[in-house]
């Protein structure tokens, strides 16, 4: 940082040395002290202790630099209200930070913090605290003192439990604990009377938390856990809920009591083990969005699911009048048993050309599954929701016929060469694994038109994708991709959908606007400054047009 920035309050400006007559606007001697300093998106490796020469600062923004530590002089900025040090390389926060009596917003997400100062609770004015995307394993007990905190983001850390003391945060409206290792939620959290939004996605919860006193709770996001049972009593406590998101769990049944959620607008139950629904679900007055795909539903035809929420609700309502077995009766065990219980389905292989062994939590695919194929051509393979650590080697036996392979929700860390021999492949689903790279040999998959790599660990855009000319859909959300090459993307002339939501893009190259085949470009949840959210909200065509306008002529 140039020296004169720190001295801006002290040094007389140059024009004062010249003998000029000043207009009212130029009276340097009436200049007020600097209150806002933005040094974001530079390459700063340290901040000078001279920051103490700017005591009137109310906002200091140094996000997206290369800072490994902060100066202790920050503790002297007693007027500071907002401090943004996110997207740096900080390993710790100075104790002096705890001396800032007026600090309202502290943003330290995307650093390398393994712990927080024990006395963080001294920041009594704090209203917003974001410590997401660090390496925290515990929360200081002094957090309980932050009684004015409204928003707390703990997402993407390594927390195994939440301290029950959090319940003392009487003002907290939004709590985000996405992507940690939580197995339970402390019962005391139920007393957080102001809580409106609770995010618990991607943890290890086995049941829905009990929240009897959270009368204002409007959104509960608990997808991608291991929830098996929806407890009717727990649902009854959530009378204000507008959004209930439970996708990618292991829920087997939906209780009739779900109808007490009279304000529910969005209900996401996709990719569970639900075999039937209470028809009374059709009576929820506010419901606008109902997701059920990926469940072994018996009573609802697949084509009906694709017609959208309103048609589905109409159908459920029509069935309430029908006499027929009550929806809560246990269905008989038939050939349509839940996917997590069935053996190899020979009928599916011969008639649907489908080889399915999903949701078994299996470390490898049994030989019997491949043996069952015999001479039958298989077009679709679904080995999702297991514990596979590698691509099953015998997949290569299906190379003459298979075109759709789903290996999502496993623990695959690398792609073997066998997969690259499936030259008829058109759809490849590898979401929710631990992939960091794709092999160049995948260039052989010339027919591939959809690849889903969401929720993996890519830090760079896989370069082999630039060499797959048939690609129409690239789904790469929720990774850590930092940049893309717009020139190579333009070479993918059929590319219609590019989903890069929730990555680490610090800028969007204007040349991306030249990819005119794109019909859906999704960029939300990245740390770039432009295009701003208002532009993104206008949709793909507007974003592309905006980007083209920024290309240097």
């Amino acid at each position: 940082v140039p020296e004169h920035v720190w001295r801006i309050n002290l040094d007389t400006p140059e024009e004062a040395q010249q003998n000029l007559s000043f207009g009212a606007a130029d009276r340097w001697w009436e200049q007020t002290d600097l209150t806002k300093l933005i040094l974001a998106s530079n390459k700063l490796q340290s901040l000078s202790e001279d920051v103490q020469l700017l005591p009137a600062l109310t906002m200091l923004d140094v996000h997206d630099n290369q800072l490994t530590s902060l100066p202790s002089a920050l503790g002297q900025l007693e007027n500071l209200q907002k401090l943004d040090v996110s997207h740096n390389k900080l390993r710790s926060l100075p104790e002096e930070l705890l001396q800032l009596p007026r600090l309202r917003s502290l943003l330290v997400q995307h650093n390398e913090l393994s712990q927080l100062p024990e006395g963080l609770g001294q920041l009594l004015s704090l209203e917003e605290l974001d410590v997401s995307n660090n390496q925290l394993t515990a929360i200081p007990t002094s957090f309980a003192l932050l009684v004015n905190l409204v928003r707390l983001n703990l997402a993407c850390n390594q927390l195994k439990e939440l301290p029950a003391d959090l319940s003392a945060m009487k003002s907290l409206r939004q709590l985000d604990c996405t992507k940690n290792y939580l197995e339970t939620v402390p019962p005391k959290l139920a007393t957080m009377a102001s809580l409106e939004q609770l995010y618990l996605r991607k943890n290890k919860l086995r049941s829905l938390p009990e929240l009897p006193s959270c009368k204002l709770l409007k959104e509960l996001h608990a997808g991608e856990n291991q929830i098996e049972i929806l407890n009717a009593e727990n649902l009854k406590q959530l009378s204000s809920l507008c959004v209930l998101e439970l996708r990618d769990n292991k829920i087997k049944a939906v209780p009739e009591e779900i109808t007490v959620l009279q304000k529910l607008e969005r209900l996401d139950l996709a990719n569970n083990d639900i075999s039937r629904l209470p028809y009374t679900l059709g009576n929820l007055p506010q419901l606008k969005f109902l997701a059920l795909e990926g469940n072994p539903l018996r009573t609802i035809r697949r084509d009906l699911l694709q017609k959208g929420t309103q048609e589905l609700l109409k159908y459920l309502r029509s069935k309430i009048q029908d006499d027929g077995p009550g929806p809560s009766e246990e269905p008989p065990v038939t050939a349509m048993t839940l996917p997590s219980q069935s053996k190899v389905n020979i009928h599916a292989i011969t008639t649907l050309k489908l080889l399915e062994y999903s949701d078994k939590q299996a470390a490898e695919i049994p030989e019997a599954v491949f043996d069952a194929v015999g001479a039958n051509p298989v077009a679709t393979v679904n080995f999702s929701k297991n514990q596979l650590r590698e691509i099953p080697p015998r997949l290569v036996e299906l190379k003459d016929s298979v075109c759709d392979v789903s290996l999502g929700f496993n623990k695959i860390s690398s792609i073997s060469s066998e997969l690259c021999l499936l030259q008829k492949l058109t759809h490849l689903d590898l979401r929710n694994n631990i992939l960091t790279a794709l092999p160049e040999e995948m260039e052989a998959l010339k027919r591939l038109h959809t690849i889903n790599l969401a929720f993996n660990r890519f830090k760079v855009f896989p370069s082999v994708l630039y060499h797959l000319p048939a690609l129409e859909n690239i789904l790469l959300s929720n990774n850590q991709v930092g940049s893309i090459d717009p020139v190579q993307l333009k070479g993918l002339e059929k590319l219609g959908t590019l989903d890069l939501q929730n990555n680490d893009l610090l800028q969007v190259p204007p040349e991306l606007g030249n990819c005119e085949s794109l019909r859906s470009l999704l960029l939300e949840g990245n740390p770039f400054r432009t295009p701003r959210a208002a532009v993104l909200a206008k949709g793909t065509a507007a974003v592309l047009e905006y980007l083209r306008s920024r290309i240097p002529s």
Side-chain angles (χ1 to χ4, degrees):
V1 179
E3 184 64 27
H4 67 262
V5 172
W6 303 126
R7 300 188 57 81
I8 198 165
N9 292 345
L10 307 177
D11 293 348
T12 318
E14 279 177 28
E15 58 265 31
Q17 317 302 331
Q18 301 158 15
N19 190 7
L20 301 170
S21 59
F22 292 101
D26 301 328
R27 295 185 175 187
W28 56 265
W29 56 90
E30 292 180 359
Q31 171 186 312
T32 55
D33 283 353
L34 190 70
T35 58
K36 291 185 181 175
L37 179 56
I38 301 174
L39 297 163
S41 300
N42 281 290
K43 296 184 178 174
L44 302 178
Q45 294 179 349
S46 64
L47 272 186
S48 165
E49 297 282 347
D50 285 346
V51 70
Q52 66 195 26
L53 299 176
L54 300 171
L57 279 187
T58 58
M59 178 182 105
L60 177 59
D61 181 353
V62 290
H63 84 264
D64 180 27
N65 278 286
Q66 293 164 21
L67 300 174
T68 53
S69 64
L70 295 173
S72 52
L74 279 181
Q76 297 182 36
L77 303 179
E78 56 180 39
N79 292 298
L80 203 60
Q81 295 174 21
K82 177 172 182 175
L83 176 61
D84 187 348
V85 294
S86 61
H87 292 273
N88 277 287
K89 297 178 178 177
L90 299 175
R91 298 248 165 101
S92 64
L93 297 176
E95 292 287 332
E96 288 80 3
L97 210 58
L98 311 178
Q99 300 164 12
L100 299 172
R102 295 186 175 84
L103 197 64
R104 293 212 304 257
S105 171
L106 177 57
L107 307 179
V108 294
Q109 67 270 30
H110 288 275
N111 276 288
E112 296 169 17
L113 301 173
S114 54
Q115 62 187 61
L116 295 171
E118 198 47 57
L120 203 64
Q122 295 168 33
L123 296 171
L124 296 178
S125 302
L126 216 52
E127 295 171 10
E128 175 181 35
L129 176 59
D130 190 340
V131 294
S132 62
N133 290 280
N134 279 287
Q135 293 147 28
L136 302 174
T137 53
I139 297 299
T141 46
S142 70
F143 259 41
L145 302 172
L146 300 174
V147 291
N148 291 307
L149 205 63
V150 175
R151 285 186 299 281
L152 175 57
N153 192 342
L154 302 169
C156 302
N157 278 290
Q158 295 163 23
L159 302 173
K160 293 199 168 118
E161 58 186 8
L162 293 176
D165 306 344
L166 286 187
S167 57
M169 296 181 173
K170 294 298 179 220
S171 307
L172 200 67
R173 293 209 294 263
Q174 185 184 65
L175 175 59
D176 190 344
C177 301
T178 304
K179 207 172 181 186
N180 278 284
Y181 301 113
L182 303 176
E183 293 180 12
T184 56
V185 172
K188 274 185 80 175
L189 278 201
T191 60
M192 300 176 84
S194 300
L195 202 60
E196 294 178 8
Q197 294 174 307
L198 179 57
Y199 293 84
L200 295 165
R201 303 191 73 232
K202 285 179 171 272
N203 278 285
K204 299 192 170 179
L205 300 177
R206 297 196 169 276
S207 62
L208 213 53
E210 293 184 38
L211 302 164
S213 303
C214 298
K215 298 288 185 230
L216 299 177
L217 195 68
K218 295 184 174 62
E219 297 188 25
L220 177 56
H221 299 260
E224 290 183 64
N225 278 285
Q226 293 158 22
I227 299 171
E228 294 185 9
I229 294 172
L230 283 188
N231 184 321
E233 285 307 307
N234 294 11
L235 288 175
K236 286 179 184 171
Q237 300 160 354
L238 302 172
S239 54
S240 295
L241 217 55
C242 303
V243 177
L244 180 56
E245 189 266 309
L246 294 166
R247 63 183 299 127
D248 298 299
N249 276 289
K250 298 176 181 174
I251 297 166
K252 293 186 166 52
V254 178
E256 290 276 351
E257 284 80 359
I258 196 144
T259 51
V260 301
L261 305 180
Q262 287 286 301
K263 295 182 179 172
L264 205 59
E265 295 176 17
R266 293 177 67 86
L267 177 60
D268 190 342
L269 295 166
N271 301 328
N272 276 285
D273 260 355
I274 300 164
S275 54
R276 57 197 307 155
L277 286 175
Y279 296 136
T280 45
L281 201 59
N283 284 337
L284 284 175
Q286 309 287 331
L287 200 60
K288 300 182 182 67
F289 174 86
L290 174 61
L292 293 167
E293 67 273 11
N295 282 291
L297 288 165
R298 274 170 241 184
T299 46
I300 301 176
R301 298 191 316 278
R302 179 173 286 185
D303 62 321
L304 188 64
L305 288 180
Q306 291 167 348
K307 286 183 177 168
T309 300
Q310 293 315 314
E311 286 295 313
L312 193 52
L313 295 178
K314 196 157 54 170
Y315 168 79
L316 291 172
R317 284 195 293 274
S318 74
K319 300 295 277 189
I320 297 174
Q321 286 85 32
D322 293 359
D323 299 315
S328 51
E329 279 179 32
E330 269 306 296
V333 175
T334 65
M336 291 289 290
T337 312
L338 297 180
S340 44
Q341 297 159 355
S342 61
K343 304 289 181 280
V344 187
N345 188 335
I346 305 287
H347 174 73
I349 295 175
T350 51
T351 59
L352 302 173
K353 299 183 179 179
L354 164 66
L355 181 60
E356 178 158 33
Y357 195 82
S358 68
D359 210 355
K360 302 283 194 292
Q361 302 305 313
E364 49 191 46
I365 304 297
E367 300 295 327
V369 173
F370 288 102
D371 295 342
V373 174
N376 293 295
V378 166
T380 304
V381 172
N382 181 4
F383 293 158
S384 63
K385 296 191 184 177
N386 283 295
Q387 302 278 329
L388 303 179
R389 294 187 178 277
E390 59 176 10
I391 307 282
R394 288 187 66 183
L395 206 53
V396 72
E397 295 170 17
L398 313 175
K399 68 178 193 303
D400 293 332
S401 57
V402 72
C403 49
D404 186 338
V405 170
S406 179
L407 290 161
F409 300 94
N410 279 290
K411 295 184 173 171
I412 299 169
S413 58
S414 66
I415 302 295
S416 56
S417 53
E418 282 92 356
L419 189 74
C420 307
L421 298 171
L422 308 179
Q423 298 196 1
K424 295 198 169 165
L425 210 54
T426 59
H427 288 74
L428 179 57
D429 187 345
L430 291 163
R431 76 182 102 165
N432 294 75
N433 278 286
I434 48 178
L435 295 168
T436 54
L438 298 180
E440 291 303 320
E441 293 90 317
M442 279 182 69
E443 213 174 321
L445 304 178
K446 294 296 184 205
R447 297 188 186 180
L448 193 65
H449 75 66
T450 297
I451 187 163
N452 190 342
L453 299 167
F455 292 101
N456 275 283
R457 298 188 181 167
F458 290 96
K459 287 196 161 68
V460 292
F461 190 93
S463 58
V464 68
L465 298 183
Y466 295 130
H467 307 303
L468 295 171
L471 272 181
E472 294 176 21
N473 305 298
I474 298 177
L475 309 177
L476 245 177
S477 68
N478 296 280
N479 280 280
Q480 296 152 28
V481 174
S483 64
I484 44 176
D485 183 337
V487 179
Q488 297 211 61
L489 274 175
K490 189 171 176 358
L492 298 176
E493 293 176 0
K494 297 185 176 173
L495 190 62
T497 300
L498 178 60
D499 184 352
L500 290 165
Q501 294 177 96
N502 302 322
N503 275 283
D504 287 349
L505 294 175
L506 289 169
Q507 60 231 24
V508 182
E511 294 76 12
L512 190 59
N514 289 330
C515 299
E516 295 183 19
S517 61
L518 280 176
R519 293 184 302 283
S520 177
L521 173 61
L522 302 168
L523 297 169
E524 285 78 5
N526 279 285
F528 56 74
R529 309 286 294 278
T530 57
R532 294 189 180 281
V535 177
L536 295 181
K538 291 180 183 170
T540 300
V543 172
L544 294 176
E545 188 179 348
Y546 169 85
L547 289 171
R548 284 195 293 277
S549 75
R550 308 271 295 198
I551 298 174
S553 49

